[in-house]
Amino acid sequence: MIEHIQSIQLAAEFSVGDRVAGTVGMGGLATALTVVMVAGIKEPKKGKIRKKLEPNQAAVLGVAAGTCYMTAGSIWTVGGALSDGFAQIFTNGGFGTAGMGAVSLILGAVLYFREMRPGAMAFTGVLAAGVWAQAGGIWGLPQALVLTGVHAAGMA
């Protein structure tokens, strides 16, 4: 019993606190995810060992980055403005009565059924993150998952 208590005390002395990756912040995380997207989308040079994102990985990374853009604010509000502009195409009455749920369905269908290059998938993921966050309901689930994971890792 005493050995168990001593091991707990030793573990507490060597713990890094609630921050797994140090102080990152949402702006830093948005920047890092953008760098990963750009680096992962670019074609590897011949003879070089490099990883390239698959289209599905790029879409997931785009949704995660888009969520971080909206949360970070500052220069990252551009992602939210793109999502708003895209959504207004469908919700301004030109297509009849269409809400954010309809735009979410459109983006979900494009991401699921259309096979695109990783760059286009990442861009669509960023658009989807903003639209899904505004639509709420089940469409808010990706945002909730990303934010919960970021907070659980102590990055924000």
Side-chain angles (χ1 to χ4, degrees):
M1 178 71 169
I2 293 176
E3 292 174 8
H4 180 67
I5 293 172
Q6 289 174 343
S7 65
I8 292 174
Q9 289 173 344
L10 285 174
E13 290 175 14
F14 291 106
S15 72
V16 293
D18 62 345
R19 303 265 181 211
V20 174
T23 304
V24 177
M26 286 308 255
L29 189 57
T31 304
L33 288 174
T34 302
V35 169
V36 170
M37 275 194 304
V38 170
I41 290 168
K42 194 170 166 88
E43 284 290 328
K45 293 182 179 180
K46 293 185 180 188
K48 301 283 182 179
I49 298 175
R50 237 180 85 181
K51 300 281 183 197
K52 183 176 183 226
L53 289 172
E54 297 292 323
N56 290 339
Q57 293 171 331
V60 170
L61 193 59
V63 171
T67 301
C68 291
Y69 296 164
M70 290 182 301
T71 308
S74 189
I75 66 166
W76 299 111
T77 58
V78 172
L82 285 172
S83 296
D84 290 342
F86 180 78
Q88 286 180 357
I89 293 171
F90 299 98
T91 60
N92 68 358
F95 288 90
T97 306
M100 293 302 279
V103 181
S104 298
L105 281 170
I106 291 167
L107 286 169
V110 168
L111 286 171
Y112 186 76
F113 291 111
R114 181 85 171 110
E115 187 170 334
M116 296 182 275
R117 292 178 309 183
M121 288 293 271
F123 181 75
T124 307
V126 171
L127 280 178
V131 171
W132 291 347
Q134 291 179 39
I138 195 159
W139 299 108
L141 188 60
Q143 181 186 25
L145 290 174
V146 168
L147 294 178
T148 301
V150 166
H151 288 293
M155 291 186 184

